[in-house]
């Protein structure tokens, strides 16, 4: 079985400051990893994903994430945030084989302050 | 390619009624999953359909059911609505290993 932990339920940060949203996972099998963003009253939008290869993954809107297998982490980073980045961010994993059942974290609400 | 579409976008029902939500996946995707999202419980997996067969199921009562048609469109049905069923219902279609979400249907039960 897999589990995903997003320790920070809320992260306030000033505009143009860097941010890191943490994601740790637990799994006995290999997994693919994803970050999704949800703006108010909308569905989830794929930010980026790690399938294989380079552990540093770049996504949309200037976000990137680094897969660390030894620490079972997949933290999301952005060097300079904008007001428009205010949203909820979800980390998710799915096994690389089998039925691709997704396991989501509880989400981190990013609040960018002017 | 068109994205995942969900209809209706908003619904208001009263307790005891039933509701049917619809999801059209991205063209070529055969897997459709449904999620319930509430402020208290977060994102919870309902079920997944692949080629008209339910492949995975979450921990929800039998009032929640779904089906998938030969064109991969999916519907979910909730019978005997309860106040606690008020939520955003999200549909996701999967291409390969990646899920793509629709905008959701917001259901309010009065």
């Amino acid at each position: 079985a897999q589990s995903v932990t997003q320790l920070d339920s809320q992260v306030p940060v000033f505009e143009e400051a860097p941010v890191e949203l943490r994601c740790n996972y637990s799994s006995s099998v290999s997994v693919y990893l994803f970050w999704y963003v949800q703006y108010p009253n909308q569905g989830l939008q794929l930010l980026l994903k790690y399938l294989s290869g380079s552990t540093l993954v770049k996504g949309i809107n200037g976000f990137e994430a680094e897969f660390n297998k030894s620490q079972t982490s997949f933290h999301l980073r952005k060097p300079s945030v904008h007001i428009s980045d205010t949203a909820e961010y979800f980390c998710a994993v799915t096994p690389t084989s089998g039925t691709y059942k997704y396991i989501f974290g509880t989400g981190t609400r990013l609040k960018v302050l002017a | 390619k068109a994205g995942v579409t969900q209809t209706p976008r908003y619904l208001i029902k009263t307790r005891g009624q039933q509701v049917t939500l619809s999801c059209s996946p991205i063209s070529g995707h055969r897997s459709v999953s449904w999620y319930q999202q509430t402020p208290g419980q977060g994102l919870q997996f309902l079920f997944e359909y692949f080629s008209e067969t339910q492949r995975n199921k979450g921990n929800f009562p039998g009032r929640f059911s779904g089906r998938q048609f030969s064109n991969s469109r999916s519907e979910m049905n909730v019978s005997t609505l309860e106040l606690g069923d008020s939520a955003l219902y999200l549909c996701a279609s999967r291409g390969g290993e990646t899920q793509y979400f629709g905008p959701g249907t917001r259901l309010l039960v009065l």
Side-chain angles (χ1 to χ4, degrees), chain B residues 16-41:
Chain B
Q17 287 187 309
Q18 75 163 15
V19 67
T20 299
L21 312 182
S22 180
C23 172
S24 292
I26 293 170
S27 178
H29 289 187
R30 293 191 292 166
S31 166
V32 173
S33 294
W34 288 89
Y35 295 84
Q36 182 195 66
Q37 187 178 31
T38 60
Q41 299 297 318

Side-chain angles (χ1 to χ4, degrees), chain B residues 21-87:
Chain B
L21 312 182
S22 180
C23 172
S24 292
I26 293 170
S27 178
H29 289 187
R30 293 191 292 166
S31 166
V32 173
S33 294
W34 288 89
Y35 295 84
Q36 182 195 66
Q37 187 178 31
T38 60
Q41 299 297 318
L43 200 60
Q44 292 187 285
F45 172 74
L46 280 155
F47 29 66
E48 180 200 4
Y49 285 86
F50 183 85
S51 294
E52 302 180 64
T53 301
Q54 188 180 86
R55 191 158 65 171
N56 286 306
K57 190 177 189 308
N59 189 24
F60 275 81
R63 300 186 297 108
F64 292 81
S65 63
R67 59 178 175 167
Q68 186 179 33
F69 302 95
S70 58
N71 62 358
S72 293
R73 190 177 70 84
S74 177
E75 289 182 347
M76 69 163 281
N77 184 77
V78 188
S79 61
T80 320
L81 283 166
E82 300 177 359
L83 295 180
D85 296 333
S86 293

Side-chain angles (χ1 to χ4, degrees), chain A residues 61-73:
Chain A
N61 301 339
F63 283 93
E64 64 181 31
E66 185 153 21
F67 170 54
N68 187 318
K69 190 173 183 179
S70 62
Q71 297 187 7
T72 59
S73 67

Side-chain angles (χ1 to χ4, degrees), chain A residues 39-87:
Chain A
Y39 300 103
N41 297 315
Q42 294 187 27
L44 276 66
Q45 180 183 0
L46 180 68
L47 264 182
L48 49 78
K49 60 185 177 183
Y50 174 78
L51 305 181
S52 64
S54 172
T55 57
L56 183 63
V57 180
K58 294 191 183 298
I60 62 171
N61 301 339
F63 283 93
E64 64 181 31
E66 185 153 21
F67 170 54
N68 187 318
K69 190 173 183 179
S70 62
Q71 297 187 7
T72 59
S73 67
F74 191 53
H75 301 332
L76 182 70
R77 301 186 185 101
K78 186 169 183 178
S80 176
V81 295
H82 303 291
I83 295 287
S84 59
D85 293 322
T86 294

Side-chain angles (χ1 to χ4, degrees), chain A residues 5 7 21 33 37 45 58 64 67-68 84 89 93 107 112:
Chain A
T5 302
L7 284 172
L21 306 184
L33 301 108
V37 60
Q45 180 183 0
K58 294 191 183 298
E64 64 181 31
F67 170 54
N68 187 318
S84 59
Y89 292 78
V93 302
V112 181

